[in-house]
Amino acid sequence: MTPSELPAHASVVVIGGGIMGCSTLYHLAKMGVTDAILLERNKLTSGTTWHSAAQVRALRHSRNLTRMIQYSVDLYAQLEKETGQNVGWIQKGSLSIATTPDRAIHVRRQEALAHAFGIKADWVSAGEAQERWPLMNASDVLGAVWSPEDGRVSPSDVCAALVKSAKSHGAGIFENTGVTGILTKNGRITGVETTKGTVSCDAVALCAGLWSREIGGMAGAEVPALACEHFYLLTKPLEGIEGNVPTLSDHDNHLYIRDDSGGLLVGCFEPMGKPIAPGVLDQNFEFGLLPEDWDHFEPMMLNALHRLPCLETAEVKMLLNGPESFTPDGMFMLGETAETRGLFLGCGMNSVGMASGGGAGMNLAHCIVHGHTAYDLGEADAKRFAPVFNSVDHLMARAPEILGTHYEIAYPGRQLKTARDLRVLPLHAEYAKANAHFGQVYGWERPLYFGKSADPKMTFGRPDWFENVRREVHAAHEAAAVFDASPFGKIEVTGPDACAFLQHLAMRNMDRPAGTAIYTPLLNERGTYESDITAHRIADDHYRLFVGTNAIKRDLAWALRQSDGFDVTLKDSTEDYAVLCLMGPEAARIVAATGAPELCDLGYFKVGPAFIAGKHVRAVRMSYVGEAGWEITCKAENAQAIYAAFQSAGAVPAGLFAQSSMRIEKGFAAMGHELDGDLSPVEVGMHGMAKKTGGFIGAQALAERVQTSKRSLVTIVFDDETAVPLGHEPVYAGPDIIGQITSASFGYRIGAPVALAHVNATVDGGAVEIDIAGTKYTGRMQFAAAFDPSGARMRP
């Protein structure tokens, strides 16, 4: 095969020659896929990569994202030894300054997180920050976090090194080769059409950056990413800039600053960016830039002049305006698509492509070769977006705001403002009348709490909604409250093999009589969590599965891919049904008063048909909040009549914040928090649920983990009522970090802050300390739930 000749077949075709494409090809070759090829429409790095500011900052909000970037750092360092190609690695550290009290809390929380992840980071005074950046105006600086191991690279040199190594292992690179179509058969990738011919293949890695949405559409897949303009100023050499200096992050002013060829590079993530409509950047956009826009940049320039007075006399080289792609939530997309087997996404990098690229490329290659990423990266799952997020109108509104959130303070409860009301619940109008404060979850507008008078003030302290949530929790604990679980995904499993299929899919015994509900983990072949669900057996050949709100697309795709050989049909029925959870000691009186007294005789985890307010329902006796009650499923169009009847009988609405608080008090683990693809039921104390012997996915691996692993999930009850844990805080036993909080809230029924955490040294009743933004709060960890629902009762 010569460089000008496309092969007839390649195991994997990588589309896109930026950092993600080059890294993915490199890792595929390293993993033994030596016939992989990369197609680039123009030249390598010609889209976004070439103009990247190329900062590599290790710390991210989760352990595995941080681990991924740490991999990038190690990779870039060793590439030079491996290939002889200089990658321009400059490790001068980074300085994140705080000019407001809340920013100080934010960066101190980052400092604590860094310590949990083994990253060097320390709070320094304003004076020490000034010493590290003498050109900075520090008059309003309160302090800073110094991260000495951060650095930057040369984007083009990194890609050159990756490609050099990939070629040495047999991989092919084809520049000036545009993709004109993607071939599929029965929903599976079969080949790629190009300007130089057709290549058949088993898989495609879509790493096309700015053009990923359009190319994904060729294969029938949804890839919600949109380009926005991104600005940075370059100056000519300045006095006082000698050699390389640390990166200066002034996020209160939306700025990042570093040296560049003796001058300065001053970049920004302004509060609201400028979107670029699809089609504007065509196939001729090669090493291209967009026009300077000084009017748009002016507010950021004023901020920069305040921070760096030397800019007043600096000569400007240029205002660079280069496009970058953004997703609806600010996180990249990684993994196989739900719509098309064999199509893997590595795109939507949200301006962190160079920092993430090494580790993200490794994980994407691992996913293609092994069927899963090297470690759990659920927050970047390619299947996490609802279809509504892929519309151009949504992306044009949302992407500019996402660019602006890049440097926002991570306040608890913060909600995005653009592209709202995409999907509303059947009871949305009723909740609005009750002054609900809504949050967007998978496109749904869900009530977070009720009785709001104005938008809440963002704070790291006790929130504005504290008393609102207290009232809702007490309603569920002392009387009756209605929680709306309608956004939960619902999958109908029907057919002669429905039971056999679910016995194969689920850890627990699914062969229960009709009228039974079963909670069960769904495991992968590694014995770790793929998901967790509740199933209602409606008939011998019909189950209804309830999955997480964000998980419906992912879980349905996964279940479908396990159904080969079974005579079953799977259907998404999420929007057909509403689910109202009536909880509290008055719940029995209310269901009796509204027409369904027979539900009071329903056993725990039993499903029964009934009529409430004259409308047919299926109710299951179970609770996610530690109070007695029912989860009641009805046709979506009947929800209003049933809810009105509950209200008339004395029930009040309760929101997601109350539900989360009560869940944590009860010690219930949740996917994406306590449960993920790195953990098995052993670590969360649920492996005893697997009563059947084998026959389900992951059975052998789970049996092995029972022998080698132990429970790590604990509840922590704080001693200080004023502590405000939010999640991710490190847990100390003496001087040692032994774990990290996964979920946290105030426990209104126990009168204290409460958290769930994974720890590596579990002593039931052991004393611990939790670092919250530099202040350590004491508490005790226990295996038992913080709230004992044994006293939960219902009054007839």
Side-chain angles (χ1 to χ4, degrees):
M1 179 176 72
T2 67
S4 60
E5 295 176 339
L6 280 175
H9 175 82
S11 294
V12 183
V13 173
V14 180
I15 302 175
I19 179 59
M20 270 303 300
C22 293
S23 178
T24 302
L25 185 75
Y26 167 87
H27 286 98
L28 285 168
K30 286 278 190 174
M31 293 177 189
V33 188
T34 55
D35 68 336
I37 64 172
L38 184 151
L39 308 178
E40 166 53 50
R41 182 168 61 190
N42 296 306
K43 299 293 184 184
L44 295 180
T45 77
S46 62
T48 295
T49 297
W50 74 273
H51 63 69
S52 169
Q55 300 178 87
V56 182
R57 302 186 64 194
L59 183 61
R60 291 297 182 267
H61 68 266
S62 74
R63 181 176 298 277
N64 282 349
L65 286 174
T66 300
R67 177 181 179 185
M68 185 189 74
I69 296 179
Q70 288 175 310
Y71 178 93
S72 294
V73 172
D74 294 341
L75 172 67
Y76 299 158
Q78 69 92 19
L79 271 176
E80 205 162 318
K81 298 175 185 176
E82 178 185 343
T83 66
Q85 168 72 52
N86 187 326
V87 299
W89 174 242
I90 298 170
Q91 191 173 39
K92 288 291 183 177
S94 68
L95 192 69
S96 298
I97 63 173
T99 63
T100 65
D102 278 0
R103 178 67 65 178
I105 294 172
H106 175 82
V107 298
R108 300 238 34 190
R109 286 182 59 83
Q110 291 181 317
E111 176 198 18
L113 197 59
H115 296 162
F117 298 158
I119 296 173
K120 293 180 181 178
D122 294 293
W123 176 258
V124 298
S125 68
E128 291 173 284
Q130 177 89 69
E131 290 175 9
R132 287 182 166 85
W133 247 92
L135 293 179
M136 170 180 64
N137 168 23
S139 62
D140 56 347
V141 174
L142 303 179
V145 168
W146 166 243
S147 303
E149 296 177 342
D150 290 344
R152 65 180 192 264
V153 291
S154 166
S156 298
D157 290 336
V158 167
C159 289
L162 291 166
V163 165
K164 183 176 181 179
S165 178
K167 282 183 174 180
S168 74
H169 287 84
I173 313 292
F174 296 89
E175 296 180 301
N176 301 308
T177 305
V179 172
T180 57
I182 297 181
L183 303 176
T184 62
K185 184 177 181 180
N186 298 326
R188 184 183 292 270
I189 291 287
T190 61
V192 177
E193 294 177 328
T194 81
T195 54
K196 293 183 179 178
T198 299
V199 182
S200 68
C201 63
D202 304 313
V204 166
L206 179 52
C207 307
L210 304 166
W211 300 279
S212 295
R213 181 175 179 273
E214 289 73 19
I215 296 174
M218 295 178 182
E222 296 168 351
V223 186
L226 188 85
C228 287
E229 300 182 22
H230 179 57
F231 298 88
Y232 61 74
L233 176 77
L234 293 170
T235 77
K236 292 182 179 180
L238 277 168
E239 185 177 346
I241 300 293
E242 296 179 3
N244 300 118
V245 299
T247 298
L248 176 63
S249 297
D250 181 5
H251 294 171
D252 285 322
N253 284 305
H254 317 287
L255 302 173
Y256 62 91
I257 302 160
R258 67 166 175 81
D259 63 276
D260 186 87
S261 302
L264 288 174
L265 182 156
V266 182
C268 70
F269 288 94
E270 64 275 29
M272 186 61 71
K274 294 179 64 180
I276 303 169
V280 171
L281 306 176
D282 60 19
Q283 64 270 21
N284 299 315
F285 193 82
E286 179 183 3
F287 296 106
L289 294 173
L290 299 166
E292 294 182 342
D293 187 341
W294 284 99
D295 288 341
H296 184 77
F297 188 71
E298 183 181 13
M300 301 300 102
M301 188 66 197
L302 293 174
N303 291 346
L305 287 166
H306 166 73
R307 186 60 55 216
L308 299 173
C310 63
L311 287 176
E312 292 182 11
T313 57
E315 291 186 69
V316 173
K317 187 185 297 183
M318 69 178 301
L319 177 61
L320 185 143
N321 181 0
E324 303 206 11
S325 58
F326 294 85
T327 62
D329 64 358
M331 180 58 64
F332 55 85
M333 291 174 281
L334 191 75
E336 192 173 23
T337 64
E339 299 84 6
T340 309
R341 294 294 307 270
L343 179 64
F344 294 83
L345 304 185
C347 53
M349 300 309 292
N350 296 275
S351 281
V352 295
M354 287 308 302
S356 304
M362 179 276 288
N363 273 284
L364 184 57
H366 196 281
C367 191
I368 295 168
V369 173
H370 299 289
H372 57 88
T373 52
Y375 33 80
D376 185 84
L377 291 170
E379 59 259 77
D381 193 316
K383 297 180 280 290
R384 71 186 184 274
F385 291 117
V388 69
F389 284 121
N390 195 43
S391 78
V392 172
D393 287 345
H394 166 265
L395 290 169
M396 288 289 287
R398 174 58 62 81
E401 184 183 13
I402 292 297
L403 180 149
T405 62
H406 206 69
Y407 286 164
E408 270 198 0
I409 295 174
Y411 287 115
R414 178 177 60 83
Q415 290 291 313
L416 295 168
K417 295 180 174 60
T418 59
R420 298 297 297 267
D421 296 327
L422 300 177
R423 306 171 81 185
V424 297
L425 299 174
L427 295 172
H428 183 83
E430 284 77 1
Y431 297 149
K433 290 176 185 175
N435 293 321
H437 182 68
F438 292 99
Q440 190 181 65
V441 183
Y442 199 64
W444 292 103
E445 294 294 330
R446 297 192 67 176
L448 303 180
Y449 60 91
F450 290 87
K452 73 179 182 76
S453 57
D455 285 341
K457 177 186 176 184
M458 294 288 97
T459 177
F460 287 111
R462 184 161 284 186
D464 281 0
W465 56 78
F466 186 86
E467 292 301 329
N468 302 63
V469 176
R470 183 199 295 276
R471 287 192 292 272
E472 293 167 26
V473 171
H474 283 176
H477 182 53
E478 298 170 358
V482 179
F483 300 84
D484 196 323
S486 302
F488 277 14
K490 306 166 195 74
I491 301 170
E492 309 295 326
V493 180
T494 56
D497 291 346
C499 180
F501 167 63
L502 289 173
Q503 287 286 66
H504 169 67
L505 197 72
M507 186 185 86
R508 298 191 71 191
N509 179 23
M510 305 299 286
D511 191 6
R512 310 282 186 88
T516 302
I518 311 111
Y519 167 79
T520 180
L522 302 183
L523 307 183
N524 50 48
E525 294 290 356
R526 306 182 304 284
T528 61
Y529 276 89
E530 193 70 26
S531 186
D532 70 334
I533 66 168
T534 299
H536 296 180
R537 191 169 194 179
I538 295 172
D540 287 350
D541 60 353
H542 182 190
Y543 292 76
R544 180 172 296 140
L545 312 185
F546 292 80
V547 306
T549 302
N550 289 321
I552 178 61
K553 191 174 182 180
R554 182 197 69 204
D555 286 0
L556 179 58
W558 186 74
L560 283 167
R561 290 168 189 181
Q562 312 306 316
S563 66
D564 291 347
F566 293 95
D567 186 2
V568 292
T569 300
L570 278 69
K571 177 192 172 187
D572 178 1
S573 63
T574 302
E575 298 198 29
D576 296 338
Y577 296 100
V579 179
L580 302 180
C581 305
L582 178 66
M583 299 293 157
E586 292 287 332
R589 178 188 61 77
I590 290 173
V591 296
T594 54
E598 66 272 26
L599 292 181
C600 297
D601 298 324
L602 201 62
Y604 197 55
F605 267 83
K606 297 299 181 181
V607 182
F611 285 85
I612 294 176
K615 308 296 183 182
H616 182 268
V617 303
R618 289 190 186 276
V620 58
R621 184 74 166 271
M622 60 181 291
S623 173
Y624 195 49
V625 297
E627 299 292 341
W630 294 270
E631 293 186 0
I632 297 164
T633 303
C634 63
K635 284 287 189 180
E637 60 267 25
N638 293 334
Q640 289 179 332
I642 294 168
Y643 177 71
F646 287 163
Q647 272 197 310
S648 296
V652 300
L656 200 56
F657 287 169
Q659 176 182 292
S660 294
S661 167
M662 299 173 82
R663 170 187 77 81
I664 296 165
E665 279 185 310
K666 181 60 184 71
F668 285 139
M671 282 297 297
H673 297 278
E674 292 71 43
L675 312 177
D676 64 34
D678 292 335
L679 296 166
S680 79
V682 178
E683 288 86 357
V684 295
M686 293 188 191
H687 60 283
M689 290 181 171
K691 300 298 185 184
K692 59 187 182 185
T693 55
F696 60 92
I697 298 171
Q700 181 59 42
L702 178 62
E704 293 170 2
R705 290 182 78 114
V706 169
Q707 302 302 316
T708 59
S709 301
K710 63 180 182 179
R711 176 169 176 170
S712 60
L713 182 64
V714 297
T715 289
I716 296 175
V717 179
F718 285 70
D719 297 324
D720 187 339
E721 184 186 346
T722 66
V724 186
L726 304 174
H728 300 296
E729 295 90 350
V731 179
Y732 285 78
D736 300 321
I737 295 175
I738 62 168
Q740 191 178 1
I741 285 177
T742 53
S743 298
S745 181
F746 190 85
Y748 295 93
R749 290 174 295 189
I750 65 171
V754 61
L756 301 178
H758 279 290
V759 298
N760 57 29
T762 53
V763 178
D764 200 11
V768 291
E769 291 183 304
I770 298 87
D771 184 340
I772 303 178
T775 299
K776 288 185 177 177
Y777 293 86
T778 60
R780 292 201 171 269
M781 57 183 179
Q782 60 192 51
F783 288 129
F787 172 71
D788 179 5
S790 61
R793 70 284 184 213
M794 289 195 292
R795 291 190 283 269

